[in-house]
Amino acid sequence: MSALGREPGGLFPPIDDYAGDALSVGDGHTVWVAQAGNPDGAPVLFLHGGPGSGCSPSHRRLFDPRHYRVILPDQRGAGRSTPHASLHENTTWKLIADLETVRERLGIARWMVFGGSWGSTLALAYAQTHPERVSGLILRGIFLCREAEIRWFYQPGGCSWIFPDEWARYEAVIPSHDRGDMVAAYYRRLTHADPEIQLAAARAWSGWEHATCKLLKPSTPLDDATALAMARIECHYFVNQSFFPEPDYLLRNVDRIRHLPTWIIHGRYDVVCPFQNAWDLHQALPQAHFAPIADAGHAYDEPGILAALIAATEAAKAIS
């Protein structure tokens, strides 16, 4: 056991935020930004998944609090940011602009960027837009927002063949005549004027994701508020191709970040974001530290993935 009471490969002990502020970022949005760890430490930006899931207290425990100043923004519409679950002016490029607002407001010149799932997408997009502001990247559960990835998880014939029982619950919300495009069908319900229709769709959408994200057992179901934000914002991004100007945008622009130290960590049996995503990114960035986790799915807190993430944050001390 470490001096901080951390088991080998496990999370660092619980810590409280030392600061938390709601920053106005324009368009009627405020973004909640928490800070934890060492106020004078090496800055690291934690980007949560979804989009729409928000940060949790366990996320700050991925970093040695003696070394890192951990910055944890809840992205537009997520967590403690307001307005809750809002789709108004909620795009990838707005999120990137928000991150720059946070960085400037906190007086940070460069920071390590850590992102998992959608957080890996946003981390790549941010780093490709502002490479001079990034000291390195730690990426987990790679999601590149390609059409094939969306089709694999949200249309029949992909992940549905592995989890047909859970798929049946996800599919049941949509009438049979409306199942040709499940994402579009869900979007109509998640943006419906009736909040009960929205919530029923959000529960099914988030339930499908959480039933499939771990290798051996389902994750704990989300509370209704988090489920609503995550489902609405995810679906909003996916019907809009995550607002990227061209297919394979993130792979086409890797030359902008080729110089950055990068860690790629991905579960071999990740069915939410298939291993092909990490493989494709590694082929584009062969110099990156590549860690396939043989006994894991998608969730960051599966033992093998968690150990690799902690190893990466410890190794990144050398460049932060």
Side-chain angles (χ1 to χ4, degrees):
M1 187 174 289
S2 73
L4 286 178
R6 182 176 66 86
E7 296 288 345
L11 292 166
F12 286 94
I15 54 172
D16 294 327
D17 300 335
Y18 68 77
D21 296 289
L23 301 184
S24 176
V25 292
D27 305 314
H29 284 273
T30 64
V31 169
W32 181 264
V33 182
Q35 296 186 71
N38 181 356
D40 299 316
V44 57
L45 170 66
F46 178 89
L47 298 177
H48 65 71
S53 65
C55 294
S56 74
S58 60
H59 290 151
R60 65 212 63 192
R61 298 176 60 195
L62 291 159
F63 309 94
D64 183 343
R66 300 166 300 186
H67 180 83
Y68 286 108
R69 176 187 181 185
V70 189
I71 297 97
L72 306 103
D74 287 335
Q75 296 156 33
R76 291 191 178 200
R80 288 181 281 182
S81 294
T82 60
H84 180 72
S86 173
L87 308 182
H88 173 68
E89 294 295 332
N90 197 335
T91 73
T92 302
W93 309 109
K94 292 289 186 177
L95 299 187
I96 289 171
D98 293 349
L99 297 178
E100 277 296 276
T101 297
V102 171
R103 184 190 62 75
E104 292 168 0
R105 193 76 60 89
L106 297 182
I108 295 169
R110 297 172 77 228
W111 47 12
M112 174 74 63
V113 180
F114 179 116
S117 194
W118 160 257
S120 74
T121 317
L122 184 57
L124 287 166
Y126 173 79
Q128 290 175 7
T129 306
H130 298 287
E132 74 284 359
R133 299 304 181 187
V134 178
S135 59
L137 292 164
I138 300 175
L139 307 172
R140 187 273 308 167
I142 306 304
F143 179 44
L144 301 173
C145 292
R146 297 173 293 183
E147 181 182 351
E149 298 172 50
I150 303 299
R151 190 169 59 248
W152 156 267
F153 193 63
Y154 292 107
Q155 291 294 119
C159 190
S160 67
W161 281 49
I162 302 174
F163 289 91
D165 48 346
E166 298 296 343
W167 176 265
R169 284 184 270 274
Y170 165 77
E171 187 180 55
V173 173
I174 308 300
S176 58
H177 65 82
D178 204 16
R179 293 175 183 171
D181 185 335
M182 292 290 285
V183 175
Y186 260 96
Y187 191 63
R188 287 189 287 274
R189 286 155 181 81
L190 289 165
T191 56
H192 198 280
D194 185 339
E196 290 303 316
I197 291 176
Q198 286 191 30
L199 187 55
R203 287 169 176 161
W205 176 282
S206 64
W208 166 241
E209 183 170 326
H210 277 70
T212 55
C213 73
K214 288 191 175 182
L215 179 60
L216 296 180
K217 61 181 181 178
S219 293
T220 304
L222 297 177
D223 62 87
D224 283 350
T226 305
L228 186 66
M230 191 176 78
R232 277 173 51 84
I233 297 172
E234 281 187 348
C235 200
H236 169 68
Y237 273 69
F238 300 162
V239 298
N240 288 290
Q241 294 75 50
S242 295
F243 303 94
F244 290 128
E246 59 183 341
D248 288 336
Y249 177 84
L250 295 174
L251 292 179
R252 290 173 183 265
N253 289 282
V254 291
D255 282 347
R256 299 178 185 177
I257 59 170
R258 198 171 298 282
H259 63 289
L260 294 177
T262 301
W263 285 259
I264 300 170
I265 297 161
H266 205 107
R268 172 70 69 178
Y269 297 105
D270 187 338
V271 298
V272 178
C273 297
F275 189 79
Q276 184 74 47
N277 301 353
W279 179 254
D280 290 346
L281 181 61
H282 179 51
Q283 297 309 294
L285 291 173
Q287 76 279 13
H289 305 274
F290 186 45
I293 309 302
D295 58 352
H298 183 65
Y300 85 94
D301 55 355
E302 294 181 86
I305 292 180
L306 183 57
L309 290 174
I310 295 293
T313 63
E314 289 291 278
K317 288 178 178 179
I319 60 166
S320 60

PDB file of all heavy atoms in Angstrom, residues 53-79:
ATOM      1  N   SER A  53     -22.566  13.119 -19.338  1.00  0.00           N
ATOM      2  CA  SER A  53     -22.598  12.358 -18.088  1.00  0.00           C
ATOM      3  C   SER A  53     -22.171  13.170 -16.868  1.00  0.00           C
ATOM      4  O   SER A  53     -22.640  12.928 -15.760  1.00  0.00           O
ATOM      5  CB  SER A  53     -21.721  11.113 -18.202  1.00  0.00           C
ATOM      6  OG  SER A  53     -20.363  11.457 -18.351  1.00  0.00           O
ATOM      7  N   GLY A  54     -21.251  14.125 -17.037  1.00  0.00           N
ATOM      8  CA  GLY A  54     -20.764  14.908 -15.906  1.00  0.00           C
ATOM      9  C   GLY A  54     -19.647  14.210 -15.145  1.00  0.00           C
ATOM     10  O   GLY A  54     -19.404  13.009 -15.318  1.00  0.00           O
ATOM     11  N   CYS A  55     -18.964  14.962 -14.294  1.00  0.00           N
ATOM     12  CA  CYS A  55     -17.865  14.418 -13.487  1.00  0.00           C
ATOM     13  C   CYS A  55     -18.409  13.830 -12.189  1.00  0.00           C
ATOM     14  O   CYS A  55     -19.478  14.220 -11.706  1.00  0.00           O
ATOM     15  CB  CYS A  55     -16.854  15.518 -13.167  1.00  0.00           C
ATOM     16  SG  CYS A  55     -15.984  16.173 -14.612  1.00  0.00           S
ATOM     17  N   SER A  56     -17.654  12.893 -11.627  1.00  0.00           N
ATOM     18  CA  SER A  56     -18.024  12.281 -10.349  1.00  0.00           C
ATOM     19  C   SER A  56     -16.848  12.370  -9.388  1.00  0.00           C
ATOM     20  O   SER A  56     -15.702  12.568  -9.812  1.00  0.00           O
ATOM     21  CB  SER A  56     -18.428  10.816 -10.549  1.00  0.00           C
ATOM     22  OG  SER A  56     -17.287  10.020 -10.800  1.00  0.00           O
ATOM     23  N   PRO A  57     -17.098  12.222  -8.068  1.00  0.00           N
ATOM     24  CA  PRO A  57     -16.007  12.335  -7.092  1.00  0.00           C
ATOM     25  C   PRO A  57     -14.867  11.351  -7.329  1.00  0.00           C
ATOM     26  O   PRO A  57     -13.717  11.641  -6.980  1.00  0.00           O
ATOM     27  CB  PRO A  57     -16.707  12.078  -5.756  1.00  0.00           C
ATOM     28  CG  PRO A  57     -18.119  12.503  -5.984  1.00  0.00           C
ATOM     29  CD  PRO A  57     -18.419  12.110  -7.409  1.00  0.00           C
ATOM     30  N   SER A  58     -15.154  10.190  -7.921  1.00  0.00           N
ATOM     31  CA  SER A  58     -14.089   9.208  -8.118  1.00  0.00           C
ATOM     32  C   SER A  58     -13.122   9.622  -9.217  1.00  0.00           C
ATOM     33  O   SER A  58     -11.976   9.148  -9.250  1.00  0.00           O
ATOM     34  CB  SER A  58     -14.690   7.835  -8.450  1.00  0.00           C
ATOM     35  OG  SER A  58     -15.463   7.891  -9.625  1.00  0.00           O
ATOM     36  N   HIS A  59     -13.521  10.496 -10.106  1.00  0.00           N
ATOM     37  CA  HIS A  59     -12.650  10.862 -11.225  1.00  0.00           C
ATOM     38  C   HIS A  59     -11.367  11.543 -10.761  1.00  0.00           C
ATOM     39  O   HIS A  59     -10.296  11.318 -11.329  1.00  0.00           O
ATOM     40  CB  HIS A  59     -13.396  11.774 -12.195  1.00  0.00           C
ATOM     41  CG  HIS A  59     -14.489  11.082 -12.954  1.00  0.00           C
ATOM     42  ND1 HIS A  59     -15.615  11.721 -13.417  1.00  0.00           N
ATOM     43  CD2 HIS A  59     -14.621   9.781 -13.333  1.00  0.00           C
ATOM     44  CE1 HIS A  59     -16.396  10.863 -14.043  1.00  0.00           C
ATOM     45  NE2 HIS A  59     -15.819   9.673 -13.991  1.00  0.00           N
ATOM     46  N   ARG A  60     -11.454  12.374  -9.735  1.00  0.00           N
ATOM     47  CA  ARG A  60     -10.258  13.075  -9.272  1.00  0.00           C
ATOM     48  C   ARG A  60      -9.270  12.112  -8.617  1.00  0.00           C
ATOM     49  O   ARG A  60      -8.099  12.428  -8.446  1.00  0.00           O
ATOM     50  CB  ARG A  60     -10.656  14.200  -8.320  1.00  0.00           C
ATOM     51  CG  ARG A  60     -11.301  13.749  -7.023  1.00  0.00           C
ATOM     52  CD  ARG A  60     -12.309  14.755  -6.543  1.00  0.00           C
ATOM     53  NE  ARG A  60     -13.395  14.856  -7.515  1.00  0.00           N
ATOM     54  CZ  ARG A  60     -14.311  15.805  -7.518  1.00  0.00           C
ATOM     55  NH1 ARG A  60     -14.274  16.749  -6.622  1.00  0.00           N
ATOM     56  NH2 ARG A  60     -15.257  15.822  -8.427  1.00  0.00           N
ATOM     57  N   ARG A  61      -9.758  10.912  -8.248  1.00  0.00           N
ATOM     58  CA  ARG A  61      -8.914   9.933  -7.570  1.00  0.00           C
ATOM     59  C   ARG A  61      -8.029   9.147  -8.537  1.00  0.00           C
ATOM     60  O   ARG A  61      -7.278   8.264  -8.125  1.00  0.00           O
ATOM     61  CB  ARG A  61      -9.796   8.977  -6.770  1.00  0.00           C
ATOM     62  CG  ARG A  61     -10.589   9.678  -5.675  1.00  0.00           C
ATOM     63  CD  ARG A  61     -11.522   8.725  -4.970  1.00  0.00           C
ATOM     64  NE  ARG A  61     -10.786   7.629  -4.353  1.00  0.00           N
ATOM     65  CZ  ARG A  61     -11.350   6.505  -3.913  1.00  0.00           C
ATOM     66  NH1 ARG A  61     -12.674   6.336  -4.042  1.00  0.00           N
ATOM     67  NH2 ARG A  61     -10.621   5.564  -3.359  1.00  0.00           N
ATOM     68  N   LEU A  62      -8.074   9.490  -9.814  1.00  0.00           N
ATOM     69  CA  LEU A  62      -7.166   8.883 -10.801  1.00  0.00           C
ATOM     70  C   LEU A  62      -5.786   9.545 -10.788  1.00  0.00           C
ATOM     71  O   LEU A  62      -4.880   9.081 -11.470  1.00  0.00           O
ATOM     72  CB  LEU A  62      -7.770   9.010 -12.198  1.00  0.00           C
ATOM     73  CG  LEU A  62      -9.010   8.154 -12.464  1.00  0.00           C
ATOM     74  CD1 LEU A  62      -9.806   8.719 -13.628  1.00  0.00           C
ATOM     75  CD2 LEU A  62      -8.616   6.707 -12.732  1.00  0.00           C
ATOM     76  N   PHE A  63      -5.631  10.601  -9.998  1.00  0.00           N
ATOM     77  CA  PHE A  63      -4.426  11.417 -10.043  1.00  0.00           C
ATOM     78  C   PHE A  63      -3.837  11.588  -8.649  1.00  0.00           C
ATOM     79  O   PHE A  63      -4.571  11.805  -7.685  1.00  0.00           O
ATOM     80  CB  PHE A  63      -4.760  12.799 -10.623  1.00  0.00           C
ATOM     81  CG  PHE A  63      -5.509  12.742 -11.923  1.00  0.00           C
ATOM     82  CD1 PHE A  63      -6.912  12.791 -11.934  1.00  0.00           C
ATOM     83  CD2 PHE A  63      -4.839  12.615 -13.125  1.00  0.00           C
ATOM     84  CE1 PHE A  63      -7.610  12.737 -13.129  1.00  0.00           C
ATOM     85  CE2 PHE A  63      -5.530  12.560 -14.316  1.00  0.00           C
ATOM     86  CZ  PHE A  63      -6.910  12.611 -14.333  1.00  0.00           C
ATOM     87  N   ASP A  64      -2.512  11.533  -8.564  1.00  0.00           N
ATOM     88  CA  ASP A  64      -1.819  11.765  -7.297  1.00  0.00           C
ATOM     89  C   ASP A  64      -2.085  13.207  -6.868  1.00  0.00           C
ATOM     90  O   ASP A  64      -1.630  14.157  -7.528  1.00  0.00           O
ATOM     91  CB  ASP A  64      -0.324  11.538  -7.499  1.00  0.00           C
ATOM     92  CG  ASP A  64       0.481  11.679  -6.212  1.00  0.00           C
ATOM     93  OD1 ASP A  64      -0.036  12.250  -5.233  1.00  0.00           O
ATOM     94  OD2 ASP A  64       1.643  11.224  -6.207  1.00  0.00           O
ATOM     95  N   PRO A  65      -2.808  13.417  -5.763  1.00  0.00           N
ATOM     96  CA  PRO A  65      -3.178  14.782  -5.374  1.00  0.00           C
ATOM     97  C   PRO A  65      -2.004  15.619  -4.889  1.00  0.00           C
ATOM     98  O   PRO A  65      -2.122  16.840  -4.766  1.00  0.00           O
ATOM     99  CB  PRO A  65      -4.199  14.553  -4.259  1.00  0.00           C
ATOM    100  CG  PRO A  65      -3.821  13.232  -3.667  1.00  0.00           C
ATOM    101  CD  PRO A  65      -3.344  12.407  -4.827  1.00  0.00           C
ATOM    102  N   ARG A  66      -0.867  14.974  -4.613  1.00  0.00           N
ATOM    103  CA  ARG A  66       0.319  15.742  -4.225  1.00  0.00           C
ATOM    104  C   ARG A  66       0.968  16.385  -5.439  1.00  0.00           C
ATOM    105  O   ARG A  66       1.613  17.427  -5.332  1.00  0.00           O
ATOM    106  CB  ARG A  66       1.324  14.831  -3.518  1.00  0.00           C
ATOM    107  CG  ARG A  66       0.810  14.180  -2.251  1.00  0.00           C
ATOM    108  CD  ARG A  66       1.700  13.039  -1.795  1.00  0.00           C
ATOM    109  NE  ARG A  66       1.797  11.985  -2.810  1.00  0.00           N
ATOM    110  CZ  ARG A  66       2.423  10.831  -2.615  1.00  0.00           C
ATOM    111  NH1 ARG A  66       3.004  10.573  -1.450  1.00  0.00           N
ATOM    112  NH2 ARG A  66       2.471   9.924  -3.576  1.00  0.00           N
ATOM    113  N   HIS A  67       0.818  15.752  -6.605  1.00  0.00           N
ATOM    114  CA  HIS A  67       1.510  16.214  -7.813  1.00  0.00           C
ATOM    115  C   HIS A  67       0.623  17.052  -8.725  1.00  0.00           C
ATOM    116  O   HIS A  67       1.085  18.022  -9.324  1.00  0.00           O
ATOM    117  CB  HIS A  67       2.029  15.001  -8.598  1.00  0.00           C
ATOM    118  CG  HIS A  67       2.765  15.371  -9.852  1.00  0.00           C
ATOM    119  ND1 HIS A  67       4.091  15.726  -9.860  1.00  0.00           N
ATOM    120  CD2 HIS A  67       2.338  15.471 -11.157  1.00  0.00           C
ATOM    121  CE1 HIS A  67       4.463  16.014 -11.103  1.00  0.00           C
ATOM    122  NE2 HIS A  67       3.422  15.869 -11.907  1.00  0.00           N
ATOM    123  N   TYR A  68      -0.661  16.666  -8.842  1.00  0.00           N
ATOM    124  CA  TYR A  68      -1.519  17.252  -9.869  1.00  0.00           C
ATOM    125  C   TYR A  68      -2.508  18.285  -9.323  1.00  0.00           C
ATOM    126  O   TYR A  68      -3.076  18.118  -8.243  1.00  0.00           O
ATOM    127  CB  TYR A  68      -2.328  16.156 -10.563  1.00  0.00           C
ATOM    128  CG  TYR A  68      -1.522  15.299 -11.513  1.00  0.00           C
ATOM    129  CD1 TYR A  68      -1.205  13.976 -11.184  1.00  0.00           C
ATOM    130  CD2 TYR A  68      -1.104  15.791 -12.744  1.00  0.00           C
ATOM    131  CE1 TYR A  68      -0.481  13.168 -12.057  1.00  0.00           C
ATOM    132  CE2 TYR A  68      -0.381  14.994 -13.624  1.00  0.00           C
ATOM    133  CZ  TYR A  68      -0.068  13.690 -13.276  1.00  0.00           C
ATOM    134  OH  TYR A  68       0.649  12.903 -14.146  1.00  0.00           O
ATOM    135  N   ARG A  69      -2.724  19.296 -10.108  1.00  0.00           N
ATOM    136  CA  ARG A  69      -3.863  20.203  -9.961  1.00  0.00           C
ATOM    137  C   ARG A  69      -4.919  19.707 -10.958  1.00  0.00           C
ATOM    138  O   ARG A  69      -4.769  19.854 -12.170  1.00  0.00           O
ATOM    139  CB  ARG A  69      -3.443  21.627 -10.296  1.00  0.00           C
ATOM    140  CG  ARG A  69      -4.567  22.653 -10.264  1.00  0.00           C
ATOM    141  CD  ARG A  69      -4.068  24.004 -10.785  1.00  0.00           C
ATOM    142  NE  ARG A  69      -5.120  25.009 -10.744  1.00  0.00           N
ATOM    143  CZ  ARG A  69      -4.974  26.248 -11.241  1.00  0.00           C
ATOM    144  NH1 ARG A  69      -3.817  26.601 -11.803  1.00  0.00           N
ATOM    145  NH2 ARG A  69      -5.977  27.100 -11.183  1.00  0.00           N
ATOM    146  N   VAL A  70      -5.960  19.094 -10.464  1.00  0.00           N
ATOM    147  CA  VAL A  70      -6.950  18.427 -11.301  1.00  0.00           C
ATOM    148  C   VAL A  70      -8.118  19.375 -11.570  1.00  0.00           C
ATOM    149  O   VAL A  70      -8.774  19.854 -10.638  1.00  0.00           O
ATOM    150  CB  VAL A  70      -7.462  17.130 -10.638  1.00  0.00           C
ATOM    151  CG1 VAL A  70      -8.318  16.346 -11.620  1.00  0.00           C
ATOM    152  CG2 VAL A  70      -6.297  16.276 -10.142  1.00  0.00           C
ATOM    153  N   ILE A  71      -8.373  19.641 -12.852  1.00  0.00           N
ATOM    154  CA  ILE A  71      -9.464  20.528 -13.261  1.00  0.00           C
ATOM    155  C   ILE A  71     -10.551  19.668 -13.897  1.00  0.00           C
ATOM    156  O   ILE A  71     -10.284  18.914 -14.847  1.00  0.00           O
ATOM    157  CB  ILE A  71      -8.980  21.614 -14.234  1.00  0.00           C
ATOM    158  CG1 ILE A  71      -7.959  22.526 -13.551  1.00  0.00           C
ATOM    159  CG2 ILE A  71     -10.153  22.447 -14.752  1.00  0.00           C
ATOM    160  CD1 ILE A  71      -6.532  22.190 -13.812  1.00  0.00           C
ATOM    161  N   LEU A  72     -11.771  19.746 -13.352  1.00  0.00           N
ATOM    162  CA  LEU A  72     -12.863  18.860 -13.767  1.00  0.00           C
ATOM    163  C   LEU A  72     -14.090  19.686 -14.163  1.00  0.00           C
ATOM    164  O   LEU A  72     -14.964  19.970 -13.334  1.00  0.00           O
ATOM    165  CB  LEU A  72     -13.237  17.893 -12.636  1.00  0.00           C
ATOM    166  CG  LEU A  72     -12.099  17.054 -12.045  1.00  0.00           C
ATOM    167  CD1 LEU A  72     -11.664  17.629 -10.694  1.00  0.00           C
ATOM    168  CD2 LEU A  72     -12.518  15.603 -11.899  1.00  0.00           C
ATOM    169  N   PRO A  73     -14.190  20.096 -15.424  1.00  0.00           N
ATOM    170  CA  PRO A  73     -15.386  20.827 -15.851  1.00  0.00           C
ATOM    171  C   PRO A  73     -16.526  19.876 -16.227  1.00  0.00           C
ATOM    172  O   PRO A  73     -16.303  18.839 -16.860  1.00  0.00           O
ATOM    173  CB  PRO A  73     -14.895  21.588 -17.084  1.00  0.00           C
ATOM    174  CG  PRO A  73     -13.797  20.737 -17.641  1.00  0.00           C
ATOM    175  CD  PRO A  73     -13.167  20.018 -16.481  1.00  0.00           C
ATOM    176  N   ASP A  74     -17.733  20.229 -15.814  1.00  0.00           N
ATOM    177  CA  ASP A  74     -18.927  19.573 -16.342  1.00  0.00           C
ATOM    178  C   ASP A  74     -19.274  20.276 -17.657  1.00  0.00           C
ATOM    179  O   ASP A  74     -19.501  21.493 -17.669  1.00  0.00           O
ATOM    180  CB  ASP A  74     -20.101  19.700 -15.365  1.00  0.00           C
ATOM    181  CG  ASP A  74     -19.938  18.815 -14.137  1.00  0.00           C
ATOM    182  OD1 ASP A  74     -19.224  17.807 -14.226  1.00  0.00           O
ATOM    183  OD2 ASP A  74     -20.532  19.146 -13.096  1.00  0.00           O
ATOM    184  N   GLN A  75     -19.300  19.535 -18.742  1.00  0.00           N
ATOM    185  CA  GLN A  75     -19.531  20.134 -20.056  1.00  0.00           C
ATOM    186  C   GLN A  75     -20.959  20.693 -20.154  1.00  0.00           C
ATOM    187  O   GLN A  75     -21.813  20.411 -19.314  1.00  0.00           O
ATOM    188  CB  GLN A  75     -19.262  19.091 -21.139  1.00  0.00           C
ATOM    189  CG  GLN A  75     -17.813  18.624 -21.167  1.00  0.00           C
ATOM    190  CD  GLN A  75     -17.631  17.250 -21.776  1.00  0.00           C
ATOM    191  OE1 GLN A  75     -18.359  16.850 -22.688  1.00  0.00           O
ATOM    192  NE2 GLN A  75     -16.660  16.492 -21.272  1.00  0.00           N
ATOM    193  N   ARG A  76     -21.227  21.461 -21.174  1.00  0.00           N
ATOM    194  CA  ARG A  76     -22.530  22.113 -21.333  1.00  0.00           C
ATOM    195  C   ARG A  76     -23.683  21.133 -21.138  1.00  0.00           C
ATOM    196  O   ARG A  76     -23.716  20.067 -21.742  1.00  0.00           O
ATOM    197  CB  ARG A  76     -22.647  22.768 -22.706  1.00  0.00           C
ATOM    198  CG  ARG A  76     -21.750  23.963 -22.900  1.00  0.00           C
ATOM    199  CD  ARG A  76     -22.082  24.742 -24.157  1.00  0.00           C
ATOM    200  NE  ARG A  76     -21.200  25.912 -24.268  1.00  0.00           N
ATOM    201  CZ  ARG A  76     -21.448  26.985 -25.000  1.00  0.00           C
ATOM    202  NH1 ARG A  76     -22.568  27.055 -25.718  1.00  0.00           N
ATOM    203  NH2 ARG A  76     -20.584  27.992 -25.031  1.00  0.00           N
ATOM    204  N   GLY A  77     -24.602  21.505 -20.266  1.00  0.00           N
ATOM    205  CA  GLY A  77     -25.796  20.718 -20.024  1.00  0.00           C
ATOM    206  C   GLY A  77     -25.625  19.534 -19.102  1.00  0.00           C
ATOM    207  O   GLY A  77     -26.598  18.862 -18.769  1.00  0.00           O
ATOM    208  N   ALA A  78     -24.390  19.257 -18.653  1.00  0.00           N
ATOM    209  CA  ALA A  78     -24.099  18.053 -17.868  1.00  0.00           C
ATOM    210  C   ALA A  78     -23.762  18.400 -16.422  1.00  0.00           C
ATOM    211  O   ALA A  78     -23.316  19.513 -16.121  1.00  0.00           O
ATOM    212  CB  ALA A  78     -22.941  17.286 -18.498  1.00  0.00           C
ATOM    213  N   GLY A  79     -23.951  17.428 -15.539  1.00  0.00           N
ATOM    214  CA  GLY A  79     -23.559  17.593 -14.147  1.00  0.00           C
ATOM    215  C   GLY A  79     -24.175  18.824 -13.526  1.00  0.00           C
ATOM    216  O   GLY A  79     -25.386  19.026 -13.556  1.00  0.00           O
TER     217      GLY A  79
END
